[in-house]
Amino acid sequence: MASAMLLKFSLAFFAIIFLSSTSVYAQLSVNFYAKSCPQLLSTVRAAVKKAVANEKRMGASLLRLHFHDCFVNGCDGSILLDVKNGEKTAVPNNNSVRGFEVIDNIKTQVEKVCRGVVSCADILTIAARDSVVELGGPSWTVPLGRRDSRTASKSGANNNIPPPTSNLSNLISKFQAQGLSTKEMVALAGGHTIGEARCTSFRDHIYKDSNIAKSYATSLQAKCPRSGGDNNLSPLDLHTPTVFENNYYKNLQSQKGLLHSDQELFHGGSTDSEVKTYSSNQNAFFNDFAAAMVKMGDIKPLTGSSGEIRKNCRKPN
Protein backbone atom coordinates (compact mmCIF):
# COMPACT_ATOMS: atom_id res chain seq x y z
CA MET A 1 0.00 0.00 0.00
CA ALA A 2 2.77 2.39 1.00
CA SER A 3 4.77 1.55 -2.12
CA ALA A 4 1.73 2.17 -4.31
CA MET A 5 1.17 5.56 -2.71
CA LEU A 6 4.86 6.37 -3.13
CA LEU A 7 4.65 5.43 -6.81
CA LYS A 8 1.63 7.70 -7.32
CA PHE A 9 3.43 10.55 -5.57
CA SER A 10 6.55 10.05 -7.65
CA LEU A 11 4.58 10.00 -10.91
CA ALA A 12 2.69 13.13 -9.91
CA PHE A 13 5.92 14.87 -8.93
CA PHE A 14 7.64 14.08 -12.22
CA ALA A 15 4.51 15.11 -14.14
CA ILE A 16 4.66 18.52 -12.45
CA ILE A 17 8.36 18.86 -13.26
CA PHE A 18 7.73 17.88 -16.89
CA LEU A 19 4.87 20.31 -17.31
CA SER A 20 6.79 23.16 -15.75
CA SER A 21 9.74 22.54 -18.04
CA THR A 22 7.65 22.42 -21.22
CA SER A 23 5.00 25.03 -20.46
CA VAL A 24 7.05 27.85 -22.00
CA TYR A 25 6.37 26.52 -25.48
CA ALA A 26 3.31 24.39 -24.72
CA GLN A 27 0.86 26.77 -26.44
CA LEU A 28 2.92 27.06 -29.61
CA SER A 29 3.93 24.26 -31.95
CA VAL A 30 6.53 23.94 -34.68
CA ASN A 31 3.96 21.92 -36.68
CA PHE A 32 1.04 24.28 -36.11
CA TYR A 33 0.44 24.95 -39.83
CA ALA A 34 1.66 21.60 -41.15
CA LYS A 35 -1.81 20.67 -42.40
CA SER A 36 -3.61 24.01 -42.62
CA CYS A 37 -0.86 25.83 -44.55
CA PRO A 38 1.96 23.51 -45.65
CA GLN A 39 3.40 26.13 -48.04
CA LEU A 40 3.74 28.78 -45.34
CA LEU A 41 7.46 28.56 -44.61
CA SER A 42 8.56 28.37 -48.23
CA THR A 43 6.26 31.29 -49.13
CA VAL A 44 7.64 33.55 -46.39
CA ARG A 45 11.21 32.51 -47.15
CA ALA A 46 10.87 33.41 -50.84
CA ALA A 47 9.37 36.81 -50.05
CA VAL A 48 12.03 37.65 -47.45
CA LYS A 49 14.77 36.49 -49.80
CA LYS A 50 13.52 38.85 -52.49
CA ALA A 51 13.11 41.79 -50.08
CA VAL A 52 16.61 41.39 -48.65
CA ALA A 53 18.09 40.99 -52.13
CA ASN A 54 16.47 44.30 -53.07
CA GLU A 55 17.79 46.02 -49.95
CA LYS A 56 20.21 44.36 -47.53
CA ARG A 57 19.19 46.68 -44.70
CA MET A 58 15.66 45.29 -44.82
CA GLY A 59 16.84 42.13 -43.06
CA ALA A 60 17.76 44.16 -39.98
CA SER A 61 14.51 46.11 -40.22
CA LEU A 62 12.37 42.97 -40.19
CA LEU A 63 14.31 41.57 -37.23
CA ARG A 64 13.79 44.84 -35.35
CA LEU A 65 10.06 44.84 -36.13
CA HIS A 66 9.69 41.48 -34.40
CA PHE A 67 11.69 42.64 -31.37
CA HIS A 68 9.67 45.86 -30.98
CA ASP A 69 6.45 43.91 -31.37
CA CYS A 70 7.25 41.31 -28.70
CA PHE A 71 8.26 43.87 -26.06
CA VAL A 72 4.79 45.46 -26.08
CA ASN A 73 2.11 43.13 -24.72
CA GLY A 74 3.79 40.11 -26.27
CA CYS A 75 4.35 38.89 -29.83
CA ASP A 76 0.90 39.75 -31.15
CA GLY A 77 1.47 41.79 -34.31
CA SER A 78 0.30 44.96 -32.54
CA ILE A 79 3.15 47.05 -33.97
CA LEU A 80 1.66 46.58 -37.45
CA LEU A 81 -1.67 48.26 -36.63
CA ASP A 82 -2.54 51.67 -38.07
CA VAL A 83 -4.75 52.77 -35.17
CA LYS A 84 -5.13 55.79 -32.92
CA ASN A 85 -2.43 55.78 -30.24
CA GLY A 86 -0.77 52.91 -32.05
CA GLU A 87 2.78 51.71 -31.51
CA LYS A 88 4.07 53.06 -34.82
CA THR A 89 3.95 56.62 -33.47
CA ALA A 90 5.65 55.82 -30.15
CA VAL A 91 9.08 57.39 -29.55
CA PRO A 92 11.11 54.19 -30.21
CA ASN A 93 9.25 53.56 -33.47
CA ASN A 94 8.22 56.88 -35.03
CA ASN A 95 10.15 57.53 -38.25
CA SER A 96 12.34 54.61 -37.25
CA VAL A 97 10.80 51.15 -37.57
CA ARG A 98 10.28 50.09 -41.15
CA GLY A 99 9.46 47.11 -43.33
CA PHE A 100 5.69 47.34 -43.06
CA GLU A 101 5.24 47.13 -46.83
CA VAL A 102 7.33 43.95 -46.90
CA ILE A 103 5.11 42.37 -44.24
CA ASP A 104 2.05 43.47 -46.25
CA ASN A 105 3.48 41.73 -49.30
CA ILE A 106 4.29 38.55 -47.37
CA LYS A 107 0.76 38.52 -45.96
CA THR A 108 -0.64 38.85 -49.49
CA GLN A 109 1.50 35.93 -50.69
CA VAL A 110 0.51 33.78 -47.71
CA GLU A 111 -3.18 34.56 -48.20
CA LYS A 112 -2.89 33.24 -51.75
CA VAL A 113 -1.81 29.79 -50.55
CA CYS A 114 -4.02 29.59 -47.42
CA ARG A 115 -6.62 32.28 -46.87
CA GLY A 116 -7.48 33.38 -43.34
CA VAL A 117 -5.22 30.86 -41.62
CA VAL A 118 -1.90 32.50 -40.69
CA SER A 119 -1.57 35.40 -38.26
CA CYS A 120 0.47 38.52 -38.92
CA ALA A 121 2.26 37.84 -35.61
CA ASP A 122 3.50 34.49 -36.91
CA ILE A 123 4.53 36.05 -40.22
CA LEU A 124 6.64 38.59 -38.31
CA THR A 125 8.28 35.82 -36.32
CA ILE A 126 9.16 33.72 -39.36
CA ALA A 127 10.34 36.76 -41.34
CA ALA A 128 12.73 37.71 -38.52
CA ARG A 129 14.32 34.27 -38.60
CA ASP A 130 14.54 34.20 -42.40
CA SER A 131 16.10 37.68 -42.45
CA VAL A 132 18.91 36.56 -40.15
CA VAL A 133 19.52 33.49 -42.30
CA GLU A 134 19.60 35.55 -45.51
CA LEU A 135 22.36 37.72 -44.05
CA GLY A 136 24.50 34.76 -43.03
CA GLY A 137 23.29 34.18 -39.49
CA PRO A 138 21.97 31.09 -37.72
CA SER A 139 18.65 29.39 -38.34
CA TRP A 140 16.26 28.03 -35.73
CA THR A 141 12.95 26.24 -35.63
CA VAL A 142 10.12 28.70 -35.00
CA PRO A 143 7.23 27.60 -32.75
CA LEU A 144 3.98 28.89 -34.29
CA GLY A 145 0.32 29.38 -33.43
CA ARG A 146 0.23 33.05 -32.38
CA ARG A 147 -2.88 35.08 -33.04
CA ASP A 148 -3.16 38.81 -33.68
CA SER A 149 -4.22 41.44 -31.19
CA ARG A 150 -7.05 43.84 -31.98
CA THR A 151 -5.38 46.72 -30.16
CA ALA A 152 -1.99 48.40 -29.86
CA SER A 153 -0.33 50.33 -27.02
CA LYS A 154 1.63 53.51 -27.64
CA SER A 155 2.36 53.85 -23.93
CA GLY A 156 3.56 50.26 -23.80
CA ALA A 157 6.02 50.92 -26.61
CA ASN A 158 7.27 54.09 -24.92
CA ASN A 159 7.75 52.35 -21.59
CA ASN A 160 8.89 48.82 -22.49
CA ILE A 161 11.35 49.20 -25.38
CA PRO A 162 14.78 50.18 -24.03
CA PRO A 163 15.99 53.45 -25.59
CA PRO A 164 19.48 53.83 -27.11
CA THR A 165 20.42 56.02 -24.13
CA SER A 166 19.92 53.13 -21.68
CA ASN A 167 22.57 52.27 -19.13
CA LEU A 168 23.35 48.66 -18.30
CA SER A 169 21.03 48.38 -15.32
CA ASN A 170 18.13 49.75 -17.35
CA LEU A 171 18.81 47.28 -20.16
CA ILE A 172 18.91 44.39 -17.71
CA SER A 173 15.65 45.46 -16.04
CA LYS A 174 13.81 46.00 -19.33
CA PHE A 175 14.73 42.53 -20.53
CA GLN A 176 14.03 40.91 -17.17
CA ALA A 177 10.55 42.45 -17.30
CA GLN A 178 10.00 40.34 -20.42
CA GLY A 179 11.35 37.18 -18.77
CA LEU A 180 14.72 37.40 -20.52
CA SER A 181 18.00 36.96 -18.64
CA THR A 182 21.03 39.22 -18.78
CA LYS A 183 22.86 36.65 -20.88
CA GLU A 184 19.93 36.48 -23.31
CA MET A 185 19.91 40.28 -23.46
CA VAL A 186 23.57 40.34 -24.49
CA ALA A 187 22.96 37.65 -27.11
CA LEU A 188 19.93 39.47 -28.55
CA ALA A 189 21.87 42.74 -28.63
CA GLY A 190 24.03 40.99 -31.21
CA GLY A 191 21.22 41.68 -33.65
CA HIS A 192 22.97 45.04 -33.97
CA THR A 193 25.61 43.32 -36.05
CA ILE A 194 23.32 44.27 -38.95
CA GLY A 195 21.44 47.44 -39.81
CA GLU A 196 21.79 51.18 -39.36
CA ALA A 197 20.72 53.80 -36.84
CA ARG A 198 19.71 57.44 -37.17
CA CYS A 199 21.90 60.30 -35.99
CA THR A 200 19.35 61.23 -33.34
CA SER A 201 19.90 57.83 -31.70
CA PHE A 202 23.66 58.20 -31.24
CA ARG A 203 24.33 61.96 -31.18
CA ASP A 204 24.81 62.21 -27.41
CA HIS A 205 27.09 59.17 -27.42
CA ILE A 206 29.53 60.64 -29.95
CA TYR A 207 29.61 64.14 -28.45
CA LYS A 208 29.21 63.58 -24.70
CA ASP A 209 30.44 60.08 -23.79
CA SER A 210 34.02 59.21 -22.92
CA ASN A 211 33.73 55.45 -23.54
CA ILE A 212 34.05 55.76 -27.31
CA ALA A 213 37.18 55.63 -29.45
CA LYS A 214 38.13 59.21 -30.34
CA SER A 215 38.78 58.51 -34.01
CA TYR A 216 35.47 56.67 -34.30
CA ALA A 217 33.56 59.51 -32.65
CA THR A 218 35.22 62.04 -34.97
CA SER A 219 34.28 60.06 -38.07
CA LEU A 220 30.67 59.84 -36.91
CA GLN A 221 30.50 63.56 -36.13
CA ALA A 222 31.10 64.23 -39.83
CA LYS A 223 27.82 62.44 -40.55
CA CYS A 224 25.93 63.54 -37.46
CA PRO A 225 26.28 67.25 -36.59
CA ARG A 226 25.37 68.65 -33.17
CA SER A 227 22.14 69.96 -34.66
CA GLY A 228 20.25 68.89 -37.77
CA GLY A 229 20.69 65.74 -39.80
CA ASP A 230 18.60 63.70 -37.37
CA ASN A 231 17.82 61.08 -40.00
CA ASN A 232 21.38 60.65 -41.28
CA LEU A 233 22.29 56.97 -41.02
CA SER A 234 25.37 55.16 -39.77
CA PRO A 235 25.93 51.39 -39.58
CA LEU A 236 25.48 49.70 -36.20
CA ASP A 237 28.38 47.42 -37.13
CA LEU A 238 31.22 49.58 -38.37
CA HIS A 239 32.68 47.00 -40.76
CA THR A 240 29.99 44.56 -41.97
CA PRO A 241 26.46 45.97 -41.42
CA THR A 242 24.89 43.61 -43.96
CA VAL A 243 26.48 40.39 -42.68
CA PHE A 244 25.24 38.63 -39.58
CA GLU A 245 28.30 37.58 -37.55
CA ASN A 246 30.05 38.49 -34.31
CA ASN A 247 31.89 41.69 -35.32
CA TYR A 248 29.45 43.68 -33.17
CA TYR A 249 31.11 42.32 -30.04
CA LYS A 250 34.61 42.92 -31.39
CA ASN A 251 33.65 46.53 -32.04
CA LEU A 252 32.52 46.94 -28.42
CA GLN A 253 35.92 45.79 -27.19
CA SER A 254 37.46 48.57 -29.30
CA GLN A 255 35.00 51.14 -27.91
CA LYS A 256 33.27 51.35 -31.27
CA GLY A 257 29.67 50.69 -30.29
CA LEU A 258 27.43 53.08 -32.21
CA LEU A 259 24.81 53.52 -29.49
CA HIS A 260 25.36 54.39 -25.86
CA SER A 261 23.35 51.29 -24.96
CA ASP A 262 25.62 49.15 -27.14
CA GLN A 263 28.82 50.29 -25.45
CA GLU A 264 27.24 49.80 -22.02
CA LEU A 265 27.57 46.05 -22.60
CA PHE A 266 31.35 46.43 -22.48
CA HIS A 267 32.17 49.14 -20.00
CA GLY A 268 33.61 47.41 -16.94
CA GLY A 269 30.28 45.86 -15.94
CA SER A 270 28.78 42.41 -15.44
CA THR A 271 28.29 41.76 -19.16
CA ASP A 272 31.92 42.26 -20.22
CA SER A 273 32.59 38.52 -19.98
CA GLU A 274 29.73 37.63 -22.32
CA VAL A 275 30.94 40.18 -24.85
CA LYS A 276 34.40 38.63 -24.73
CA THR A 277 32.95 35.14 -25.19
CA TYR A 278 30.85 36.09 -28.20
CA SER A 279 33.69 38.11 -29.68
CA SER A 280 35.99 35.09 -29.72
CA ASN A 281 33.39 32.35 -30.30
CA GLN A 282 30.88 33.01 -33.09
CA ASN A 283 29.27 29.59 -32.68
CA ALA A 284 28.47 30.37 -29.05
CA PHE A 285 26.87 33.65 -30.13
CA PHE A 286 24.86 31.98 -32.89
CA ASN A 287 23.60 29.24 -30.58
CA ASP A 288 22.65 31.63 -27.78
CA PHE A 289 21.08 34.14 -30.17
CA ALA A 290 18.89 31.47 -31.77
CA ALA A 291 17.76 30.14 -28.38
CA ALA A 292 17.03 33.65 -27.12
CA MET A 293 15.01 34.44 -30.26
CA VAL A 294 12.81 31.40 -29.65
CA LYS A 295 12.28 32.48 -26.04
CA MET A 296 11.56 36.08 -27.02
CA GLY A 297 9.07 34.86 -29.62
CA ASP A 298 7.12 33.17 -26.83
CA ILE A 299 6.46 36.32 -24.82
CA LYS A 300 2.75 36.30 -23.97
CA PRO A 301 1.40 34.98 -27.30
CA LEU A 302 -2.32 35.10 -27.99
CA THR A 303 -3.47 31.56 -28.71
CA GLY A 304 -6.61 29.47 -28.93
CA SER A 305 -9.67 31.74 -29.10
CA SER A 306 -7.81 34.89 -28.01
CA GLY A 307 -7.22 37.61 -30.58
CA GLU A 308 -7.89 36.97 -34.26
CA ILE A 309 -6.31 36.16 -37.61
CA ARG A 310 -6.17 39.56 -39.27
CA LYS A 311 -7.09 39.79 -42.94
CA ASN A 312 -5.05 42.97 -43.22
CA CYS A 313 -2.05 43.32 -40.91
CA ARG A 314 -2.65 47.06 -40.58
CA LYS A 315 -6.13 46.91 -39.10
CA PRO A 316 -8.35 44.69 -36.96
CA ASN A 317 -10.98 42.65 -38.78
Side-chain angles (χ1 to χ4, degrees), residues 17 30 35 43 102 116 137 170 191 247 260 265 287 296:
I17 294 298
V30 297
K35 293 183 178 179
T43 301
V102 173
N170 187 49
N247 274 351
H260 176 86
L265 300 183
N287 290 335
M296 186 185 76

Side-chain angles (χ1 to χ4, degrees), residues 17-27:
I17 294 298
F18 175 77
L19 287 171
S20 65
S21 66
T22 59
S23 60
V24 177
Y25 309 116
Q27 293 179 306

Side-chain angles (χ1 to χ4, degrees), residues 37 40 43-44 106-114 118 123:
C37 192
L40 171 62
T43 301
V44 176
I106 297 174
K107 176 67 171 176
T108 298
Q109 301 305 313
V110 170
E111 287 291 299
K112 289 179 180 178
V113 296
C114 44
V118 181
I123 287 174

Side-chain angles (χ1 to χ4, degrees), residues 24-274:
V24 177
Y25 309 116
Q27 293 179 306
L28 303 178
S29 166
V30 297
N31 298 313
F32 189 82
Y33 297 108
K35 293 183 178 179
S36 60
C37 192
Q39 295 174 268
L40 171 62
L41 295 181
S42 60
T43 301
V44 176
R45 188 184 311 116
V48 170
K49 188 178 186 72
K50 183 176 181 180
V52 173
N54 287 339
E55 184 195 1
K56 293 285 189 182
R57 183 187 172 206
M58 186 54 66
S61 298
L62 294 177
L63 175 62
R64 186 164 180 253
L65 261 184
H66 179 46
F67 166 66
H68 281 217
D69 180 45
C70 289
F71 265 55
V72 185
N73 297 329
C75 309
D76 59 3
S78 56
I79 196 171
L80 304 173
L81 287 170
D82 289 332
V83 293
K84 186 178 181 181
N85 291 320
E87 293 163 32
K88 289 182 179 180
T89 57
V91 173
N93 298 329
N94 194 33
N95 296 319
S96 179
V97 288
R98 57 198 295 275
F100 298 108
E101 295 80 8
V102 173
I103 297 298
D104 290 339
N105 176 61
I106 297 174
K107 176 67 171 176
T108 298
Q109 301 305 313
V110 170
E111 287 291 299
K112 289 179 180 178
V113 296
C114 44
R115 185 174 297 278
V117 173
V118 181
S119 68
C120 299
D122 273 344
I123 287 174
L124 263 184
T125 311
I126 301 167
R129 187 271 311 274
D130 290 350
S131 293
V132 170
V133 172
E134 281 302 309
L135 295 178
S139 184
W140 58 92
T141 302
V142 180
L144 299 168
R146 298 166 192 79
R147 289 168 65 84
D148 298 320
S149 68
R150 298 183 177 91
T151 60
S153 175
K154 183 176 182 177
S155 61
N158 283 329
N159 294 326
N160 298 350
I161 299 171
T165 54
S166 296
N167 59 29
L168 183 58
S169 62
N170 187 49
L171 288 170
I172 291 172
S173 65
K174 292 289 188 185
F175 277 76
Q176 283 182 342
Q178 303 296 337
L180 296 164
S181 70
T182 300
K183 181 178 181 179
E184 288 163 340
M185 180 269 289
V186 179
L188 289 170
H192 283 183
T193 193
I194 53 175
E196 298 176 313
R198 296 183 302 150
C199 166
T200 186
S201 298
F202 58 86
R203 178 181 282 120
D204 284 352
H205 181 49
I206 65 175
Y207 285 103
K208 298 180 180 180
D209 288 347
S210 59
N211 62 334
I212 181 171
K214 188 174 181 179
S215 60
Y216 180 52
T218 301
S219 68
L220 290 169
Q221 289 166 7
K223 300 179 182 179
C224 181
R226 288 183 181 274
S227 63
D230 284 0
N231 292 322
N232 293 350
L233 298 171
S234 286
L236 286 158
D237 179 340
L238 176 63
H239 301 293
T240 52
T242 60
V243 181
F244 197 99
E245 22 72 317
N246 65 339
N247 274 351
Y248 167 79
Y249 300 103
K250 296 177 182 179
N251 294 335
L252 297 185
Q253 290 185 288
S254 301
Q255 291 193 316
K256 293 179 180 178
L258 181 64
L259 308 179
H260 176 86
S261 55
D262 288 328
Q263 197 58 57
E264 280 288 294
L265 300 183
F266 192 81
H267 188 44
S270 60
T271 55
D272 282 16
S273 60
E274 292 298 336

